[in-house]
Amino acid sequence: MNMAMSTTTLTERYIQEVVRRIPADQRDDVASELRTTIADTVEARDSADPVSAEREVLTEMGDPIRLAAGYADRPPVLIGPDLYPTYLRLLVVLLSTVLPVVTAVLVGIDLFDGKGLGSAIGTGISTVLTVGAQMIAWVTVVFAIVERSRHHDGVVGSTDKWTPDDLPEPRRQNKRGASACASAVWNALLLGLIVWQHTAEPYRAAGADGSVDRLQVLDPGLWSGWIWPILVGLAGLVVLDLVRVAAGRWTVPLAAWSAAAEALFALPLVWVLYQQRFFNPDFLTDFNGDWTTPDSFYTGVILVVLVMSGSAVFNRFREAHQ
Amino acid sequence: MAHSIVSLVSPNELILSQVQELRRGTVVLACLVLLEEPQYGYALLETLNDAGVTVDGNTLYPLLRRLEKQGLLTSEWNTDESRPRKFYRVSPEGSQVRTGLVREWRDIVGSISLLTKDD
C-alpha cells in the first residue's frame, strides 16, 4: 500500500512537472498519455521491484523541462540559432555606441553642474554598469519573448531570409565611422569643458569672509604651460577624427598624425597628473574638505589615460592596415 | 601544409553523433510507414526499436504529437482496455507525405551508393 502510494506519487510528480510547462489546453491529454506510457514501460520491464523500475523509466525519460520543451514544440534554449546573430549584432551596436554616448552625456551634465571630477568619474562608472546591464537585460528579455512567440505560431521555423545585404563589411565600416564621429564629439566636448571651466570659473566655494568665491576646477597655472599641448592635441584629434569620417577609413599617414596628436594630448596630461598639478589647489581644498586626494587616484587616472590613448592609436593603425 | 584541428573526441564518438544526425529524419518516415495500422505510443516504440529504428521515448512521444498537430497523424483514445490508450494513425495527408519521403529516401540511397560504390 505504502509502496504503491509512493510510486504513484513519483510518476504524478514527474507528469505535473512536464505538463505545467505546456499550453493549458493540451495538459490533460498529455498527462493521460504520459501516465499510460510510463505504466506500459514499467510493466514491460517485468521487474521484481516496481519502485526501482519506475525510477529507471523516469530517469530514461529524462529532465521534465526538456520533455516539456519537446511537447510544447520549442527548443529548450533562451535565444535560438535563428535570432542569435541579430541579437549579438544589436547588443554590440548598443554597447559600443549608445552606451558611450549616454555615459558621456551624464558625465558632461555632472561636470557642468560643477560636481567635480571625482563625482563625474563615479557617475561614469555607475552609468556604464547600470545602463549596460539594463541594455543587456532588456534586449535579452525581448529576444527571448520573440523566440517563444515564433515557436508558438508556426510549425516550421524561420521566415526571415539572410541576404548578401546583411554582410558585415559595410556595417563595420559604418560602425567605425560612427565611433570616429563619437570620438570627435567626445574630444570636442572635453576641449570645450576645459576652456569653459577656465573662463566661466563655475565652481562656487564659500570664501573666508562668507562671500562666494568662483574657482576654476583645473590649476590656473596650467594656462601658462602644460594646458596648451593638451588643448592642441585634443583639437588635432577632433580634426583628424572628422577627416577619418570623411575619408571613410584610417590610412597610415592619417593614423600617424593622430598618434602624434594623441601623444601631444596624453603625455603632458599624464605628466601634469603625475606631478599632481592637475586640479586647482583651492578647488581641491574646498571640494575635499578634510579628505586628501590619495596618490592612487592619480595613478588610476594616469593608467586609464594611457590605456585609452594606447588602444585608440593601436585600433587606428590596425584599421589602416586592413 | 594541411591544417588539422586537434580534437578530443574519439572517432567512435564522432561516428555516433553523426549517425544520430543521419537517423533523425528517418524516425518520422518510419512512423508514417508503421502507423498505417493504428498504434499507441509504447507499442510503436517497441516496434520501431525491434525494426532497428532506435529512438527514445522522450523523443518519440512529443514527435507523435507534433506530427498530429501538423495534420500528418490522427489520434483516438481507446478505452476498451484496462488502461486508456491514445492510438495514432496516418491521415490521408500523412500518406501523401510518406509517399514523397519514401521517394526521397530511395533517391538518397541511390546517390550515396553511387558515391560509395568504390569503397
Side-chain angles (χ1 to χ4, degrees), chain A residues 2-321:
Chain A
N2 244 343
M3 197 190 264
M5 273 292 290
S6 74
T7 52
T8 314
T9 333
L10 198 61
T11 304
E12 278 313 311
R13 270 163 55 202
Y14 183 85
I15 290 172
Q16 286 315 311
E17 275 299 291
V18 176
V19 298
R20 73 191 186 84
R21 292 187 165 83
I22 63 179
D25 55 334
Q26 300 165 30
R27 271 177 206 157
D28 288 345
D29 205 58
V30 169
S32 314
E33 193 184 12
L34 263 182
R35 210 170 283 130
T36 323
T37 306
I38 291 170
D40 282 342
T41 317
V42 173
E43 201 174 85
R45 298 274 154 118
D46 206 14
S47 167
D49 181 2
V51 179
S52 65
E54 177 139 36
R55 283 195 76 88
E56 264 175 48
V57 170
L58 292 182
T59 310
E60 279 164 28
M61 294 292 279
D63 193 330
I65 296 179
R66 186 170 281 273
L67 187 58
Y71 276 117
D73 196 15
R74 68 176 173 233
V77 295
L78 192 60
I79 291 157
D82 289 346
L83 289 178
Y84 184 72
T86 321
Y87 168 73
L88 205 62
R89 236 174 258 153
L90 181 61
L91 263 193
V92 167
V93 169
L94 280 179
L95 293 180
S96 65
T97 57
V98 179
L99 183 59
V101 170
V102 171
T103 309
V105 167
L106 290 180
V107 167
I109 288 173
D110 254 21
L111 289 173
F112 276 107
D113 282 351
K115 283 197 186 146
L117 198 62
S119 140
I121 288 172
T123 304
I125 292 171
S126 74
T127 306
V128 168
L129 291 179
T130 54
V131 176
Q134 293 273 340
M135 280 175 174
I136 295 173
W138 286 109
V139 170
T140 307
V141 166
V142 168
F143 270 76
I145 291 170
V146 171
E147 179 72 49
R148 257 129 204 81
S149 48
R150 274 154 55 97
H151 279 276
H152 248 15
D153 292 343
V155 191
V156 195
S158 160
T159 47
D160 20 322
K161 292 262 191 297
W162 182 92
T163 78
D165 297 337
D166 296 330
L167 277 175
E169 273 80 4
R171 211 177 268 268
R172 257 165 91 186
Q173 293 271 332
N174 287 342
K175 205 193 87 189
R176 285 183 175 168
S179 92
C181 225
S183 154
V185 170
W186 167 249
N187 285 328
L189 200 69
L190 205 58
L191 188 70
L193 269 178
I194 292 174
V195 175
W196 172 73
Q197 67 81 36
H198 176 61
T199 53
E201 303 191 325
Y203 191 81
R204 289 169 180 78
D209 51 359
S211 68
V212 173
D213 288 338
R214 295 178 68 101
L215 295 176
Q216 298 180 36
V217 176
L218 304 185
D219 193 341
L222 289 173
W223 289 88
S224 51
W226 285 116
I227 203 72
W228 295 108
I230 294 176
L231 292 181
V232 171
L234 271 178
L237 284 174
V238 173
V239 171
L240 288 162
D241 271 328
L242 293 177
V243 173
R244 144 74 186 82
V245 172
R249 58 174 291 126
W250 286 105
T251 59
V252 175
L254 210 51
W257 276 109
S258 82
E262 195 82 51
L264 197 61
F265 156 69
L267 296 180
L269 179 60
V270 164
W271 173 248
V272 166
L273 284 165
Y274 174 71
Q275 298 225 307
Q276 307 199 354
R277 286 193 334 216
F278 185 70
F279 291 109
N280 186 352
D282 295 338
F283 157 75
L284 270 190
T285 314
D286 185 80
F287 181 74
N288 283 342
D290 296 329
W291 191 66
T292 20
T293 315
D295 290 351
S296 59
F297 171 78
Y298 288 100
T299 317
V301 176
I302 287 172
L303 281 178
V304 169
V305 170
L306 287 178
V307 167
M308 284 178 69
S309 295
S311 71
V313 169
F314 174 75
N315 282 331
R316 287 178 203 131
F317 275 108
R318 198 180 56 175
E319 202 194 324
H321 278 292

Side-chain angles (χ1 to χ4, degrees), chain A residues 29 33 40 43-44 61, chain B residues 58 65 77 83 85-86 88:
Chain A
D29 205 58
E33 193 184 12
D40 282 342
E43 201 174 85
M61 294 292 279
Chain B
N58 54 17
R65 289 191 165 258
W77 280 95
R83 271 182 207 129
R85 293 199 171 105
K86 194 175 190 183
Y88 294 91

